[in-house]
């Protein structure tokens, strides 16, 4: 089956928002063995949207629109698709009742615009919106391509895809076998290198399939297999995962679409009953903020230090000023002192430090992207590691934080 995605919204064309919904949907369709050969973005314009729908229907088996299901006048998707298919729009009773209940609960008047969100294509299969009010549609078209209409807000869109659309597409699959997939996450290796390392596995893939995706500062592999049972599919996945880990397991840090390096490190710290602190200069608190985004981190992270200025390093971390004067703030020695003193003052098992040059200008003769990360781990001798990162100021900080997390992960793994 070949699918086409039409993202609707002038704000996408203007660059005001990113088209992350289409990227997510393409991944899910690929996992189901559905090819996405075209993606289109069209503004909130009736004529241009109608042309996009006509073009897509002429070359694809499945046309999926994203956006334009809201209550305002520029939400045109359902009207345009209904006109194109020559079908009526009819109320969906469950959606209408949900909107009415909201109106009653909030005391707001029910308007024609609000009621518009409960309309659906006559004869379509409704896709429940668990996080909003606009009902989605799955229209099996006897005369051409099938149509799917999805909402634009990511919170509504993703839930509808996962809970409503994917089960329908699985039912419609010409392959009666069951599908399973696993996402592997890697840090410290580029997509091109990972693909080169796995070239023969990727070249000969049939079942399972291996799909690499480059993410910001990391790479993921989605392994998908089919079988007569989920257990059979998972066995096929486990076999290929073992081969991948044998080649690049040093860079692998975890599984899952929603996983992160920070979440893995926090879990490892909790499992090992280790506490952590940080002293940040270059990253200005970003490392600690990243830890703070992980639920349950309070069990292992009592707090830390942001010592951006040299005077703060002296006052908060008790680093002698002559150390900074002699070695410079961008140095192995200062990175070690920052980690060592943070660990001592907070009484934790682990401490990490960040000092360097975010740019754009040089500092102490060091170019932008020069980064020292210090690590004090339990009773081991504190160390510092030198890196040279590229790109802009924020990218250098982001990469530093992730690299610090990976250092900690690797240190815990040694134990």
């Amino acid at each position: 089956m070949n699918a086409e995605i039409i993202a609707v919204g002038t704000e996408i064309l203007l660059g005001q928002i990113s088209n992350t919904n289409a990227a997510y949907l393409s991944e899910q369709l690929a996992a189901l063995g559905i090819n996405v050969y075209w993606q289109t973005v069209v503004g909130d314009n009736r004529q241009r949207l109608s042309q996009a729908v006509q073009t897509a229907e002429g070359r694809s088996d499945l046309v999926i629109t994203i956006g334009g299901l809201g209550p305002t006048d520029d939400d045109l998707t359902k009207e345009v698709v209904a006109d194109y298919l020559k079908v009526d729009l009819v109320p969906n009773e469950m959606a209408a009742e949900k909107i009415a209940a909201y109106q009653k609960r909030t005391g707001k008047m029910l308007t024609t615009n609000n009621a518009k969100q409960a309309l659906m294509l006559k004869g379509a299969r409704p896709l429940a919106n668990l996080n909003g009010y606009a009902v989605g549609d799955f229209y099996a078209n006897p005369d051409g391509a099938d149509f799917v209409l999805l909402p634009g807000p990511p919170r509504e869109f993703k839930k509808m895809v996962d809970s409503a659309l994917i089960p329908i597409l699985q039912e419609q699959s010409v392959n009666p076998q069951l599908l399973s997939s696993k996402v592997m996450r890697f840090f410290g290796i580029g997509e091109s290198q990972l693909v080169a390392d796995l070239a023969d596995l990727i070249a000969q893939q049939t079942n399972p399939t291996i799909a690499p995706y480059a993410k910001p500062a990391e790479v993921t592999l989605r392994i998908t297999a089919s079988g007569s049972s989920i257990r059979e599919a998972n066995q096929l996945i486990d076999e290929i995962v073992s081969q991948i880990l044998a080649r690049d397991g040093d860079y692998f840090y975890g599984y899952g679409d929603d996983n992160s390096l920070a979440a893995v490190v926090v879990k490892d710290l909790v499992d090992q009953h280790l506490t952590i602190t940080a002293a940040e200069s270059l990253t200005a608190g970003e490392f600690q903020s990243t830890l703070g985004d992980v639920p349950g981190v309070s069990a292992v992270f009592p707090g830390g230090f942001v010592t951006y200025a040299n005077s703060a390093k002296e006052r908060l971390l008790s680093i002698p000023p002559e150390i900074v004067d002699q070695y410079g703030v961008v140095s192995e020695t200062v990175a070690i002192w920052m980690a060592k003193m943070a660990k001592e003052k907070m009484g934790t098992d682990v401490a990490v430090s960040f000092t360097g040059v975010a740019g754009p200008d040089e500092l102490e003769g060091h170019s932008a992207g020069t980064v020292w990360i210090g690590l004090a781990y339990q009773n081991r001798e504190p160390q510092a590691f030198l890196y040279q990162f590229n790109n802009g100021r924020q990218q250098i900080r982001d990469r530093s934080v992730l690299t610090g997390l990976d250092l900690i992960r690797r240190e815990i793994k040694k134990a």
Side-chain angles (χ1 to χ4, degrees), residues 266-331:
V266 169
K267 182 180 184 302
D268 288 346
L269 290 168
V270 171
D271 290 346
Q272 297 300 317
H273 306 289
L274 299 173
T275 54
I276 187 171
T277 188
E280 301 183 65
S281 179
L282 165 82
T283 46
E286 184 178 336
F287 178 86
Q288 295 169 75
S289 176
T290 301
L291 285 183
D293 288 337
V294 180
V297 71
S298 59
V300 296
F301 174 55
F305 306 87
V306 177
T307 56
Y308 209 61
N310 291 347
S311 57
K313 295 176 179 66
E314 180 181 350
R315 288 198 309 271
L316 299 178
L317 296 174
S318 301
I319 297 177
E322 56 268 24
I323 293 293
V324 177
D325 292 341
Q326 179 178 351
Y327 295 99
V329 69
V330 185
S331 66

Side-chain angles (χ1 to χ4, degrees), residues 38-246:
W38 295 278
Q39 288 189 19
T40 302
V41 178
V42 62
D44 301 309
N45 179 279
R46 188 180 296 271
Q47 182 179 355
R48 288 191 285 274
L49 178 54
S50 181
Q51 290 172 344
V53 167
Q54 182 178 2
T55 300
E57 203 265 347
R59 64 190 181 189
S60 301
D61 307 306
L62 178 66
V63 178
I64 305 177
T65 68
I66 305 172
L69 305 188
T72 62
D73 291 340
D74 61 356
D75 290 311
L76 303 168
T77 302
K78 283 194 176 178
E79 291 93 328
V80 169
V81 174
D83 288 345
Y84 176 76
L85 294 173
K86 296 180 172 55
V87 299
D88 294 330
L89 288 173
V90 297
N92 176 273
E93 291 185 9
M94 289 185 66
E97 290 174 2
K98 184 177 179 181
I99 293 172
Y102 169 78
Q103 303 288 345
K104 183 178 180 180
R105 186 170 65 252
T106 60
K108 296 181 179 179
M109 292 287 291
L110 182 64
T111 66
T112 302
N113 281 354
N114 293 126
K116 172 183 173 182
Q117 293 182 283
L119 295 177
M120 59 178 292
L121 300 170
K122 186 176 182 179
R125 187 169 174 176
L127 305 178
N129 190 336
L130 302 180
N131 288 331
Y133 297 95
V135 64
D137 293 42
F138 184 98
Y139 183 81
N141 183 12
D143 301 318
D146 294 339
F147 277 79
V148 175
L149 279 59
L150 300 170
R155 183 169 174 269
E156 300 178 30
F157 160 83
K158 188 174 180 180
K159 188 68 173 178
M160 188 178 291
V161 169
D162 294 346
S163 64
L165 177 59
I166 289 177
I168 291 176
L169 294 177
Q170 288 174 330
E171 290 174 11
Q172 304 257 329
S173 175
V174 295
N175 183 355
Q177 292 191 312
L178 297 174
L179 289 168
S180 183
S181 66
K182 178 175 284 189
V183 173
M184 304 179 69
R185 308 188 75 95
F186 298 81
F187 178 81
I189 185 172
E191 181 184 22
S192 58
Q193 184 60 57
L194 184 61
V195 169
D197 291 349
L198 307 177
D200 58 318
L201 299 179
I202 294 173
Q204 67 190 22
Q205 63 179 337
T206 52
N207 184 31
T209 59
I210 305 170
Y213 300 96
K215 307 285 185 180
E218 66 175 287
V219 186
T220 66
L221 296 177
R222 181 179 292 276
I223 319 298
T224 304
S226 61
S228 57
S229 66
I230 292 297
R231 181 179 179 182
E232 180 183 331
N234 286 339
Q235 286 176 338
L236 292 171
I237 290 173
D238 290 343
E239 290 172 8
I240 202 74
V241 164
S242 296
Q243 296 181 59
I244 293 170
L245 291 177

